Amino acid sequence: MFFFFFKQKTAYEIYQCDWSSDVCSSDLTLLNNYLTLNVMNTIIKSVGLKSMSDVESVKKQIRPLLSLLRKSAKELNISVKVILGGSLAKGTLLKDDFDVDVFVAFSKKYVKEDLSNLLEKILKKSNLKIDKIHGSRDYFHVLIDNIVVEIVPI
């Protein structure tokens, strides 16, 4: 019969390298220096993500929508910030199945108003074909160059 005794480390005994059994934080510097854009694109393609140039191309397709939403809100005197979010903002779009998330952030003066209704006014002013999706807060789908864009009021 064998007995093994292990001493549990206290917070004062834990070193920076103890945060993971596989990777020491000092190794991350070497890893970052090694991973060039080409290597990153190879990895991205192998796990089913779009390349960085594809991501930039989708962003270019979406920018006019963001500008149109800002313009329509301004014409209606509705104070908003239009923010690109989700996987497009992070650069992690899936190759074959993705949508684009756009958040329309309303100023605090609209705290007591129905943000979905305000957003719908902005979208109608923009003359976009919209589909209203019902949820805890309604949001909208817009199709731009065969890309589904979810526009969410926040």
Side-chain angles (χ1 to χ4, degrees), residues 95-136:
K95 271 186 186 173
D96 300 319
D97 183 29
F98 70 90
D99 61 19
V100 172
D101 299 312
V102 173
F103 299 102
V104 178
F106 290 83
S107 76
K108 291 180 181 180
K109 71 180 181 179
Y110 302 107
V111 72
K112 295 188 182 212
E113 300 209 30
D114 184 330
L115 300 184
S116 296
N117 286 340
L118 286 173
L119 178 54
E120 190 169 14
K121 286 179 187 178
I122 294 168
L123 292 169
K124 285 182 178 178
K125 176 77 174 168
S126 302
N127 292 320
L128 295 167
K129 183 183 178 299
I130 59 172
D131 291 320
K132 190 175 195 175
I133 310 299
H134 298 288
S136 58

Side-chain angles (χ1 to χ4, degrees), residues 9-10 20 27 45 48 71 99 102 106 116 121 127 136 141 146 154:
K9 290 183 178 185
T10 66
S20 170
D27 295 335
K45 286 178 184 176
K71 179 183 174 210
D99 61 19
V102 173
F106 290 83
S116 296
K121 286 179 187 178
N127 292 320
S136 58
H141 278 177
N146 293 320
I154 57 174

Side-chain angles (χ1 to χ4, degrees), residues 7-151:
K7 180 180 181 283
Q8 185 175 356
K9 290 183 178 185
T10 66
Y12 297 106
E13 297 173 306
I14 295 176
Y15 295 100
Q16 199 171 18
C17 293
D18 291 336
W19 66 271
S20 170
S21 60
D22 299 321
V23 179
C24 178
S25 62
S26 61
D27 295 335
L28 294 177
T29 305
L30 297 173
L31 182 64
N32 282 337
N33 291 338
Y34 174 73
L35 293 175
T36 64
L37 184 59
N38 290 336
V39 173
M40 286 300 292
N41 277 333
T42 302
I43 293 168
I44 286 169
K45 286 178 184 176
S46 71
V47 296
L49 300 176
K50 288 192 171 286
S51 71
M52 295 313 245
S53 61
D54 291 338
V55 168
E56 288 305 316
S57 174
V58 173
K59 283 183 181 179
K60 187 176 179 181
Q61 290 174 277
I62 299 303
R63 280 189 194 111
L65 171 66
L66 304 180
S67 296
L68 180 60
L69 293 174
R70 289 181 186 110
K71 179 183 174 210
S72 296
K74 187 175 183 177
E75 289 174 1
L76 291 168
N77 291 319
I78 299 174
S79 179
V80 299
K81 288 185 181 177
V82 179
I83 306 161
L84 186 61
S87 58
L88 182 59
K90 293 183 246 176
T92 57
L93 287 178
L94 295 175
K95 271 186 186 173
D96 300 319
D97 183 29
F98 70 90
D99 61 19
V100 172
D101 299 312
V102 173
F103 299 102
V104 178
F106 290 83
S107 76
K108 291 180 181 180
K109 71 180 181 179
Y110 302 107
V111 72
K112 295 188 182 212
E113 300 209 30
D114 184 330
L115 300 184
S116 296
N117 286 340
L118 286 173
L119 178 54
E120 190 169 14
K121 286 179 187 178
I122 294 168
L123 292 169
K124 285 182 178 178
K125 176 77 174 168
S126 302
N127 292 320
L128 295 167
K129 183 183 178 299
I130 59 172
D131 291 320
K132 190 175 195 175
I133 310 299
H134 298 288
S136 58
R137 177 176 291 155
D138 293 344
Y139 61 99
F140 302 88
H141 278 177
V142 175
L143 196 61
I144 304 292
D145 298 330
N146 293 320
I147 299 170
V148 175
V149 181
E150 289 187 351
I151 305 175

